[in-house]
PDB file of all heavy atoms in Angstrom:
ATOM      1  N   LYS D   5      86.707 100.138 123.020  1.00  0.00           N
ATOM      2  CA  LYS D   5      87.029  99.946 124.374  1.00  0.00           C
ATOM      3  C   LYS D   5      87.798 101.106 124.880  1.00  0.00           C
ATOM      4  O   LYS D   5      88.752 101.572 124.213  1.00  0.00           O
ATOM      5  CB  LYS D   5      87.892  98.698 124.585  1.00  0.00           C
ATOM      6  CG  LYS D   5      88.263  98.410 126.032  1.00  0.00           C
ATOM      7  CD  LYS D   5      89.723  98.782 126.313  1.00  0.00           C
ATOM      8  CE  LYS D   5      90.057  98.958 127.737  1.00  0.00           C
ATOM      9  NZ  LYS D   5      91.422  99.289 128.065  1.00  0.00           N
ATOM     10  N   PHE D   6      87.399 101.735 125.992  1.00  0.00           N
ATOM     11  CA  PHE D   6      88.034 102.938 126.545  1.00  0.00           C
ATOM     12  C   PHE D   6      88.562 102.539 127.897  1.00  0.00           C
ATOM     13  O   PHE D   6      87.925 102.060 128.792  1.00  0.00           O
ATOM     14  CB  PHE D   6      87.043 104.101 126.726  1.00  0.00           C
ATOM     15  CG  PHE D   6      86.430 104.615 125.342  1.00  0.00           C
ATOM     16  CD1 PHE D   6      85.264 104.040 124.866  1.00  0.00           C
ATOM     17  CD2 PHE D   6      87.130 105.530 124.612  1.00  0.00           C
ATOM     18  CE1 PHE D   6      84.821 104.460 123.589  1.00  0.00           C
ATOM     19  CE2 PHE D   6      86.712 106.033 123.450  1.00  0.00           C
ATOM     20  CZ  PHE D   6      85.527 105.399 122.928  1.00  0.00           C
ATOM     21  N   GLY D   7      89.901 102.867 128.098  1.00  0.00           N
ATOM     22  CA  GLY D   7      90.671 102.521 129.358  1.00  0.00           C
ATOM     23  C   GLY D   7      90.353 103.588 130.449  1.00  0.00           C
ATOM     24  O   GLY D   7      89.620 104.589 130.180  1.00  0.00           O
ATOM     25  N   GLY D   8      90.876 103.302 131.577  1.00  0.00           N
ATOM     26  CA  GLY D   8      90.642 104.180 132.728  1.00  0.00           C
ATOM     27  C   GLY D   8      90.898 105.697 132.621  1.00  0.00           C
ATOM     28  O   GLY D   8      90.159 106.534 133.028  1.00  0.00           O
ATOM     29  N   SER D   9      92.002 106.052 131.889  1.00  0.00           N
ATOM     30  CA  SER D   9      92.273 107.425 131.712  1.00  0.00           C
ATOM     31  C   SER D   9      91.332 108.058 130.666  1.00  0.00           C
ATOM     32  O   SER D   9      91.120 109.251 130.742  1.00  0.00           O
ATOM     33  CB  SER D   9      93.744 107.620 131.300  1.00  0.00           C
ATOM     34  OG  SER D   9      94.081 106.782 130.313  1.00  0.00           O
ATOM     35  N   SER D  10      90.787 107.214 129.805  1.00  0.00           N
ATOM     36  CA  SER D  10      89.765 107.781 128.862  1.00  0.00           C
ATOM     37  C   SER D  10      88.418 108.159 129.436  1.00  0.00           C
ATOM     38  O   SER D  10      87.624 108.741 128.752  1.00  0.00           O
ATOM     39  CB  SER D  10      89.568 106.776 127.699  1.00  0.00           C
ATOM     40  OG  SER D  10      90.801 106.495 127.075  1.00  0.00           O
ATOM     41  N   SER D  36      86.526 100.709 131.107  1.00  0.00           N
ATOM     42  CA  SER D  36      87.183 100.318 132.356  1.00  0.00           C
ATOM     43  C   SER D  36      86.582 101.169 133.496  1.00  0.00           C
ATOM     44  O   SER D  36      85.835 101.975 133.306  1.00  0.00           O
ATOM     45  CB  SER D  36      88.685 100.606 132.256  1.00  0.00           C
ATOM     46  OG  SER D  36      89.317  99.858 131.330  1.00  0.00           O
ATOM     47  N   GLU D 193      94.168  95.039 134.378  1.00  0.00           N
ATOM     48  CA  GLU D 193      94.243  95.531 133.061  1.00  0.00           C
ATOM     49  C   GLU D 193      93.496  94.706 132.039  1.00  0.00           C
ATOM     50  O   GLU D 193      93.622  94.902 130.794  1.00  0.00           O
ATOM     51  CB  GLU D 193      95.712  95.701 132.567  1.00  0.00           C
ATOM     52  CG  GLU D 193      96.577  96.618 133.512  1.00  0.00           C
ATOM     53  CD  GLU D 193      96.103  98.023 133.491  1.00  0.00           C
ATOM     54  OE1 GLU D 193      95.560  98.520 132.502  1.00  0.00           O
ATOM     55  OE2 GLU D 193      96.320  98.709 134.495  1.00  0.00           O
ATOM     56  N   ASP D 196      91.028  95.063 128.147  1.00  0.00           N
ATOM     57  CA  ASP D 196      91.324  94.845 126.711  1.00  0.00           C
ATOM     58  C   ASP D 196      90.912  93.467 126.220  1.00  0.00           C
ATOM     59  O   ASP D 196      90.417  93.261 125.154  1.00  0.00           O
ATOM     60  CB  ASP D 196      92.875  94.906 126.510  1.00  0.00           C
ATOM     61  CG  ASP D 196      93.440  96.244 126.957  1.00  0.00           C
ATOM     62  OD1 ASP D 196      92.758  97.328 126.913  1.00  0.00           O
ATOM     63  OD2 ASP D 196      94.653  96.234 127.347  1.00  0.00           O
ATOM     64  N   ILE D 213      90.932  99.839 120.649  1.00  0.00           N
ATOM     65  CA  ILE D 213      91.333 100.130 122.024  1.00  0.00           C
ATOM     66  C   ILE D 213      91.731 101.567 122.096  1.00  0.00           C
ATOM     67  O   ILE D 213      92.801 101.959 121.631  1.00  0.00           O
ATOM     68  CB  ILE D 213      92.512  99.198 122.408  1.00  0.00           C
ATOM     69  CG1 ILE D 213      92.316  97.725 122.081  1.00  0.00           C
ATOM     70  CG2 ILE D 213      92.995  99.455 123.869  1.00  0.00           C
ATOM     71  CD1 ILE D 213      91.594  96.882 123.069  1.00  0.00           C
ATOM     72  N   TRP D 214      90.884 102.364 122.795  1.00  0.00           N
ATOM     73  CA  TRP D 214      91.273 103.828 122.896  1.00  0.00           C
ATOM     74  C   TRP D 214      91.946 104.014 124.161  1.00  0.00           C
ATOM     75  O   TRP D 214      91.455 103.577 125.266  1.00  0.00           O
ATOM     76  CB  TRP D 214      89.893 104.584 122.965  1.00  0.00           C
ATOM     77  CG  TRP D 214      89.166 104.517 121.601  1.00  0.00           C
ATOM     78  CD1 TRP D 214      88.185 103.658 121.236  1.00  0.00           C
ATOM     79  CD2 TRP D 214      89.308 105.462 120.496  1.00  0.00           C
ATOM     80  NE1 TRP D 214      87.723 103.885 119.971  1.00  0.00           N
ATOM     81  CE2 TRP D 214      88.403 105.036 119.515  1.00  0.00           C
ATOM     82  CE3 TRP D 214      90.122 106.563 120.293  1.00  0.00           C
ATOM     83  CZ2 TRP D 214      88.278 105.646 118.270  1.00  0.00           C
ATOM     84  CZ3 TRP D 214      90.015 107.210 119.034  1.00  0.00           C
ATOM     85  CH2 TRP D 214      89.052 106.740 118.067  1.00  0.00           C
ATOM     86  N   THR D 215      93.064 104.718 124.177  1.00  0.00           N
ATOM     87  CA  THR D 215      93.853 104.777 125.423  1.00  0.00           C
ATOM     88  C   THR D 215      94.553 106.191 125.434  1.00  0.00           C
ATOM     89  O   THR D 215      94.176 107.135 124.763  1.00  0.00           O
ATOM     90  CB  THR D 215      94.923 103.622 125.454  1.00  0.00           C
ATOM     91  OG1 THR D 215      95.595 103.662 126.711  1.00  0.00           O
ATOM     92  CG2 THR D 215      95.914 103.632 124.282  1.00  0.00           C
ATOM     93  N   ASP D 216      95.600 106.304 126.348  1.00  0.00           N
ATOM     94  CA  ASP D 216      96.181 107.652 126.525  1.00  0.00           C
ATOM     95  C   ASP D 216      97.401 107.846 125.709  1.00  0.00           C
ATOM     96  O   ASP D 216      98.167 108.836 125.997  1.00  0.00           O
ATOM     97  CB  ASP D 216      96.455 107.857 128.077  1.00  0.00           C
ATOM     98  CG  ASP D 216      97.376 106.846 128.656  1.00  0.00           C
ATOM     99  OD1 ASP D 216      97.724 105.895 127.922  1.00  0.00           O
ATOM    100  OD2 ASP D 216      97.716 107.039 129.875  1.00  0.00           O
ATOM    101  N   VAL D 217      97.780 106.896 124.863  1.00  0.00           N
ATOM    102  CA  VAL D 217      98.857 107.172 123.967  1.00  0.00           C
ATOM    103  C   VAL D 217      98.403 106.964 122.547  1.00  0.00           C
ATOM    104  O   VAL D 217      97.327 106.406 122.331  1.00  0.00           O
ATOM    105  CB  VAL D 217     100.116 106.234 124.221  1.00  0.00           C
ATOM    106  CG1 VAL D 217     100.764 106.708 125.537  1.00  0.00           C
ATOM    107  CG2 VAL D 217      99.648 104.812 124.381  1.00  0.00           C
ATOM    108  N   GLY D 219      99.221 104.951 120.201  1.00  0.00           N
ATOM    109  CA  GLY D 219      99.242 103.570 119.543  1.00  0.00           C
ATOM    110  C   GLY D 219     100.255 102.741 120.319  1.00  0.00           C
ATOM    111  O   GLY D 219     100.646 103.072 121.448  1.00  0.00           O
ATOM    112  N   VAL D 220     100.662 101.608 119.639  1.00  0.00           N
ATOM    113  CA  VAL D 220     101.747 100.815 120.252  1.00  0.00           C
ATOM    114  C   VAL D 220     103.076 101.422 119.774  1.00  0.00           C
ATOM    115  O   VAL D 220     103.318 101.698 118.622  1.00  0.00           O
ATOM    116  CB  VAL D 220     101.673  99.402 119.796  1.00  0.00           C
ATOM    117  CG1 VAL D 220     102.765  98.541 120.386  1.00  0.00           C
ATOM    118  CG2 VAL D 220     100.269  98.780 120.191  1.00  0.00           C
ATOM    119  N   ALA D 221     103.987 101.748 120.707  1.00  0.00           N
ATOM    120  CA  ALA D 221     105.218 102.360 120.382  1.00  0.00           C
ATOM    121  C   ALA D 221     106.401 101.451 120.450  1.00  0.00           C
ATOM    122  O   ALA D 221     106.317 100.316 120.928  1.00  0.00           O
ATOM    123  CB  ALA D 221     105.454 103.517 121.334  1.00  0.00           C
ATOM    124  N   THR D 222     107.537 101.955 119.850  1.00  0.00           N
ATOM    125  CA  THR D 222     108.796 101.149 119.887  1.00  0.00           C
ATOM    126  C   THR D 222     109.247 100.910 121.330  1.00  0.00           C
ATOM    127  O   THR D 222     110.020  99.929 121.559  1.00  0.00           O
ATOM    128  CB  THR D 222     109.860 101.900 119.103  1.00  0.00           C
ATOM    129  OG1 THR D 222     109.859 103.291 119.622  1.00  0.00           O
ATOM    130  CG2 THR D 222     109.717 101.875 117.664  1.00  0.00           C
ATOM    131  N   LEU D 223     108.840 101.691 122.210  1.00  0.00           N
ATOM    132  CA  LEU D 223     109.140 101.586 123.679  1.00  0.00           C
ATOM    133  C   LEU D 223     108.132 102.336 124.445  1.00  0.00           C
ATOM    134  O   LEU D 223     107.633 103.260 123.935  1.00  0.00           O
ATOM    135  CB  LEU D 223     110.597 102.207 123.910  1.00  0.00           C
ATOM    136  CG  LEU D 223     111.145 102.418 125.303  1.00  0.00           C
ATOM    137  CD1 LEU D 223     111.286 101.083 126.073  1.00  0.00           C
ATOM    138  CD2 LEU D 223     112.474 103.083 125.258  1.00  0.00           C
ATOM    139  N   ASP D 224     107.864 101.943 125.682  1.00  0.00           N
ATOM    140  CA  ASP D 224     106.888 102.716 126.473  1.00  0.00           C
ATOM    141  C   ASP D 224     107.281 104.176 126.388  1.00  0.00           C
ATOM    142  O   ASP D 224     108.379 104.648 126.823  1.00  0.00           O
ATOM    143  CB  ASP D 224     107.060 102.241 127.933  1.00  0.00           C
ATOM    144  CG  ASP D 224     105.961 102.882 128.826  1.00  0.00           C
ATOM    145  OD1 ASP D 224     105.444 103.863 128.487  1.00  0.00           O
ATOM    146  OD2 ASP D 224     105.722 102.299 129.898  1.00  0.00           O
ATOM    147  N   PRO D 225     106.349 105.035 125.900  1.00  0.00           N
ATOM    148  CA  PRO D 225     106.679 106.479 125.750  1.00  0.00           C
ATOM    149  C   PRO D 225     107.015 107.149 127.092  1.00  0.00           C
ATOM    150  O   PRO D 225     107.648 108.263 127.077  1.00  0.00           O
ATOM    151  CB  PRO D 225     105.389 107.117 125.222  1.00  0.00           C
ATOM    152  CG  PRO D 225     104.622 105.948 124.623  1.00  0.00           C
ATOM    153  CD  PRO D 225     105.035 104.709 125.360  1.00  0.00           C
ATOM    154  N   ARG D 226     106.657 106.472 128.186  1.00  0.00           N
ATOM    155  CA  ARG D 226     107.059 107.071 129.545  1.00  0.00           C
ATOM    156  C   ARG D 226     108.573 106.947 129.729  1.00  0.00           C
ATOM    157  O   ARG D 226     109.189 107.641 130.554  1.00  0.00           O
ATOM    158  CB  ARG D 226     106.297 106.383 130.642  1.00  0.00           C
ATOM    159  CG  ARG D 226     104.915 106.990 130.768  1.00  0.00           C
ATOM    160  CD  ARG D 226     104.128 106.287 131.873  1.00  0.00           C
ATOM    161  NE  ARG D 226     102.756 106.117 131.388  1.00  0.00           N
ATOM    162  CZ  ARG D 226     101.787 105.748 132.116  1.00  0.00           C
ATOM    163  NH1 ARG D 226     101.939 105.519 133.323  1.00  0.00           N
ATOM    164  NH2 ARG D 226     100.513 105.619 131.565  1.00  0.00           N
ATOM    165  N   PHE D 233     105.562 105.613 117.365  1.00  0.00           N
ATOM    166  CA  PHE D 233     104.322 104.863 117.229  1.00  0.00           C
ATOM    167  C   PHE D 233     104.371 103.907 116.007  1.00  0.00           C
ATOM    168  O   PHE D 233     104.668 104.500 114.916  1.00  0.00           O
ATOM    169  CB  PHE D 233     103.074 105.661 117.402  1.00  0.00           C
ATOM    170  CG  PHE D 233     102.981 106.266 118.796  1.00  0.00           C
ATOM    171  CD1 PHE D 233     103.416 107.535 119.018  1.00  0.00           C
ATOM    172  CD2 PHE D 233     102.533 105.419 119.865  1.00  0.00           C
ATOM    173  CE1 PHE D 233     103.392 108.056 120.291  1.00  0.00           C
ATOM    174  CE2 PHE D 233     102.468 106.027 121.128  1.00  0.00           C
ATOM    175  CZ  PHE D 233     102.964 107.286 121.358  1.00  0.00           C
ATOM    176  N   LEU D 245     104.991  91.271 122.449  1.00  0.00           N
ATOM    177  CA  LEU D 245     105.342  92.496 123.156  1.00  0.00           C
ATOM    178  C   LEU D 245     104.533  92.627 124.460  1.00  0.00           C
ATOM    179  O   LEU D 245     105.151  92.881 125.532  1.00  0.00           O
ATOM    180  CB  LEU D 245     105.020  93.738 122.238  1.00  0.00           C
ATOM    181  CG  LEU D 245     105.523  95.070 122.743  1.00  0.00           C
ATOM    182  CD1 LEU D 245     107.062  95.128 122.877  1.00  0.00           C
ATOM    183  CD2 LEU D 245     105.073  96.234 121.887  1.00  0.00           C
ATOM    184  N   GLY D 249     105.861  92.370 128.780  1.00  0.00           N
ATOM    185  CA  GLY D 249     105.751  93.461 129.757  1.00  0.00           C
ATOM    186  C   GLY D 249     105.281  94.839 129.258  1.00  0.00           C
ATOM    187  O   GLY D 249     105.180  95.778 130.060  1.00  0.00           O
ATOM    188  N   ALA D 250     105.020  94.950 127.935  1.00  0.00           N
ATOM    189  CA  ALA D 250     104.488  96.266 127.519  1.00  0.00           C
ATOM    190  C   ALA D 250     103.073  96.393 127.900  1.00  0.00           C
ATOM    191  O   ALA D 250     102.158  95.689 127.427  1.00  0.00           O
ATOM    192  CB  ALA D 250     104.581  96.368 125.962  1.00  0.00           C
ATOM    193  N   LYS D 251     102.818  97.371 128.871  1.00  0.00           N
ATOM    194  CA  LYS D 251     101.475  97.480 129.513  1.00  0.00           C
ATOM    195  C   LYS D 251     100.361  98.005 128.660  1.00  0.00           C
ATOM    196  O   LYS D 251      99.230  97.928 129.008  1.00  0.00           O
ATOM    197  CB  LYS D 251     101.759  98.461 130.651  1.00  0.00           C
ATOM    198  CG  LYS D 251     100.675  98.500 131.676  1.00  0.00           C
ATOM    199  CD  LYS D 251     101.038  99.489 132.727  1.00  0.00           C
ATOM    200  CE  LYS D 251      99.787  99.896 133.591  1.00  0.00           C
ATOM    201  NZ  LYS D 251      99.195 101.109 133.181  1.00  0.00           N
ATOM    202  N   VAL D 252     100.671  98.395 127.408  1.00  0.00           N
ATOM    203  CA  VAL D 252      99.662  99.011 126.552  1.00  0.00           C
ATOM    204  C   VAL D 252      98.544  98.044 126.232  1.00  0.00           C
ATOM    205  O   VAL D 252      97.386  98.484 126.025  1.00  0.00           O
ATOM    206  CB  VAL D 252     100.380  99.607 125.241  1.00  0.00           C
ATOM    207  CG1 VAL D 252     101.003  98.567 124.393  1.00  0.00           C
ATOM    208  CG2 VAL D 252      99.319 100.407 124.417  1.00  0.00           C
ATOM    209  N   LEU D 253      98.763  96.738 126.182  1.00  0.00           N
ATOM    210  CA  LEU D 253      97.764  95.749 125.914  1.00  0.00           C
ATOM    211  C   LEU D 253      97.860  94.588 126.904  1.00  0.00           C
ATOM    212  O   LEU D 253      98.970  94.183 127.231  1.00  0.00           O
ATOM    213  CB  LEU D 253      97.832  95.158 124.527  1.00  0.00           C
ATOM    214  CG  LEU D 253      97.547  96.046 123.326  1.00  0.00           C
ATOM    215  CD1 LEU D 253      97.902  95.405 122.025  1.00  0.00           C
ATOM    216  CD2 LEU D 253      96.021  96.452 123.287  1.00  0.00           C
ATOM    217  N   ALA D 294     110.095  96.545 118.351  1.00  0.00           N
ATOM    218  CA  ALA D 294     109.752  97.277 119.524  1.00  0.00           C
ATOM    219  C   ALA D 294     110.462  96.566 120.709  1.00  0.00           C
ATOM    220  O   ALA D 294     110.974  95.421 120.474  1.00  0.00           O
ATOM    221  CB  ALA D 294     108.294  97.238 119.774  1.00  0.00           C
ATOM    222  N   MET D 295     110.438  97.181 121.886  1.00  0.00           N
ATOM    223  CA  MET D 295     111.083  96.510 123.038  1.00  0.00           C
ATOM    224  C   MET D 295     110.258  96.807 124.250  1.00  0.00           C
ATOM    225  O   MET D 295     109.434  97.702 124.294  1.00  0.00           O
ATOM    226  CB  MET D 295     112.454  97.154 123.239  1.00  0.00           C
ATOM    227  CG  MET D 295     112.514  98.625 123.538  1.00  0.00           C
ATOM    228  SD  MET D 295     114.122  99.319 123.549  1.00  0.00           S
ATOM    229  CE  MET D 295     114.764  98.706 125.159  1.00  0.00           C
TER     230      MET D 295
HETATM  231  P1  ADP K   1      94.331 102.106 129.614  1.00  0.00           P
HETATM  232  O1  ADP K   1      93.961 102.722 130.890  1.00  0.00           O
HETATM  233  O2  ADP K   1      93.775 102.903 128.449  1.00  0.00           O
HETATM  234  O3  ADP K   1      94.093 100.670 129.560  1.00  0.00           O
HETATM  235  P2  ADP K   1      97.111 101.520 130.136  1.00  0.00           P
HETATM  236  O4  ADP K   1      97.810 102.435 131.143  1.00  0.00           O
HETATM  237  O5  ADP K   1      96.762 100.217 130.471  1.00  0.00           O
HETATM  238  O6  ADP K   1      95.938 102.370 129.540  1.00  0.00           O
HETATM  239  O7  ADP K   1      98.094 101.450 128.870  1.00  0.00           O
HETATM  240  C1  ADP K   1      98.576 102.643 128.260  1.00  0.00           C
HETATM  241  C2  ADP K   1     100.005 102.879 128.794  1.00  0.00           C
HETATM  242  O8  ADP K   1     100.855 101.775 128.361  1.00  0.00           O
HETATM  243  C3  ADP K   1     100.656 104.031 128.127  1.00  0.00           C
HETATM  244  O9  ADP K   1     100.330 105.236 128.935  1.00  0.00           O
HETATM  245  C4  ADP K   1     102.133 103.642 128.170  1.00  0.00           C
HETATM  246  O10 ADP K   1     102.850 104.334 129.137  1.00  0.00           O
HETATM  247  C5  ADP K   1     102.228 102.192 128.478  1.00  0.00           C
HETATM  248  N1  ADP K   1     102.952 101.494 127.493  1.00  0.00           N
HETATM  249  C6  ADP K   1     103.912 100.534 127.807  1.00  0.00           C
HETATM  250  N2  ADP K   1     104.597 100.045 126.755  1.00  0.00           N
HETATM  251  C7  ADP K   1     104.067 100.738 125.656  1.00  0.00           C
HETATM  252  C8  ADP K   1     104.283 100.642 124.225  1.00  0.00           C
HETATM  253  N3  ADP K   1     105.199  99.808 123.708  1.00  0.00           N
HETATM  254  N4  ADP K   1     103.554 101.456 123.437  1.00  0.00           N
HETATM  255  C9  ADP K   1     102.667 102.375 123.942  1.00  0.00           C
HETATM  256  N5  ADP K   1     102.366 102.394 125.310  1.00  0.00           N
HETATM  257  C10 ADP K   1     103.019 101.583 126.123  1.00  0.00           C
END
Side-chain angles (χ1 to χ4, degrees):
K5 178 259 164 177
F6 296 90
S9 47
S10 302
S36 296
E193 303 295 334
D196 301 330
I213 308 274
W214 295 90
T215 185
D216 61 353
V217 286
V220 180
T222 47
L223 171 62
D224 184 342
R226 283 180 216 192
F233 293 97
L245 188 66
K251 195 181 162 258
V252 62
L253 290 171
M295 63 187 285

